[in-house]
Amino acid sequence: MPPQRKAERITDLSQLKAFTNPLRMRLYRLLHAIGTATASQLAEQVGEMPSLVSYHVRKLAEHGFVTEASAQSTDGRERWWRVATEDGWGFRDSDFADTPEGAATVGAVTRSLVDARVAQYRAYLDQTAAWGAAWTDAAFSSESMLELSPDELAEMGEEFDALVRRWRERGKAVSGIKDREHVSVHLYGFPFRP
């Protein structure tokens, strides 16, 4: 059964702190990509001990980021996990900016996310020859410089979210098509001064 919850906005600092651990971030992203897995399977993917991975997956579950995928289990001994929602989670800096601990946590989680995304993109760049022309021609990287108000930037973010949801649903509806791969799309919208 697919995840049922909608994207969650994190407003609790202890919940956001769950992602200050880089291994938890990595496990969450891996589960999001592969769908379901046991702690042992995840441990193989990340090169860690199953007991350590199991501990961190349970911590993610405590905070509502992952949940058991009980339909996958063939016996009572193995626990299968999946993300709680395919739409993921988000947070607003302003929900945590009122304390030094909150601001530091937002900074740590945001940097960890950016580092993971950059590493993923660099890995793709290192492997472009192996993907072939169809994939490398389809891949894109884009930067635009606009003049927007905070409300307009927020509206654009909502439109991007809707677009991604539409393409996610399309990908699920059209199963069995050859040449399907996981595709990562990174979009950033932030103010800057030249």
Side-chain angles (χ1 to χ4, degrees):
M1 173 191 278
Q4 297 298 313
R5 292 181 17 201
K6 291 289 182 196
E8 180 180 351
R9 179 173 157 197
I10 298 172
T11 58
D12 177 60
L13 184 59
S14 66
Q15 191 179 20
L16 186 61
K17 279 182 169 182
F19 281 107
T20 58
N21 181 293
L23 180 56
R24 288 184 198 151
M25 178 76 70
R26 196 167 167 207
L27 293 169
Y28 177 85
R29 291 171 61 86
L30 183 58
L31 262 179
H32 202 284
I34 63 176
T36 60
T38 65
S40 295
Q41 291 168 335
L42 292 169
E44 285 180 30
Q45 293 284 324
V46 299
E48 296 288 348
M49 296 297 297
S51 59
L52 178 66
V53 169
S54 180
Y55 169 80
H56 285 294
V57 170
R58 286 192 317 273
K59 285 295 181 186
L60 289 170
E62 270 179 41
H63 293 288
F65 295 112
V66 301
T67 187
E68 280 191 66
S70 56
Q72 295 286 328
S73 183
T74 57
D75 66 35
R77 294 175 296 162
E78 64 181 13
R79 292 175 79 178
W80 285 77
W81 299 96
R82 63 175 171 81
V83 295
T85 173
E86 289 180 353
D87 286 333
W89 51 273
F91 60 91
R92 293 186 189 269
D93 294 7
S94 60
D95 288 336
F96 303 100
D98 58 343
T99 68
E101 182 183 22
T105 300
V106 165
V109 170
T110 303
R111 283 179 180 80
S112 182
L113 284 166
V114 169
D115 290 346
R117 292 170 184 159
V118 167
Q120 184 181 36
Y121 190 55
R122 283 188 174 149
Y124 163 74
L125 292 174
D126 290 343
Q127 302 165 359
T128 54
W131 283 105
W135 280 108
T136 58
D137 288 351
F140 64 90
S141 173
S142 175
E143 180 179 6
S144 301
M145 295 186 199
L146 313 169
E147 290 186 26
L148 303 172
S149 70
D151 289 342
E152 290 169 330
L153 181 57
E155 183 181 344
M156 184 191 321
E158 291 169 6
E159 287 180 20
F160 280 130
D161 286 344
L163 179 67
V164 168
R165 278 192 304 276
R166 190 181 89 216
W167 279 96
R168 181 183 297 120
E169 292 304 316
R170 179 177 170 173
K172 286 192 287 186
V174 189
S175 63
I177 290 183
K178 211 168 126 175
D179 293 333
R180 280 216 182 275
E181 297 286 348
H182 292 286
V183 173
S184 188
V185 178
H186 303 173
L187 301 170
Y188 301 95
F190 54 92
F192 75 99
R193 291 187 177 113

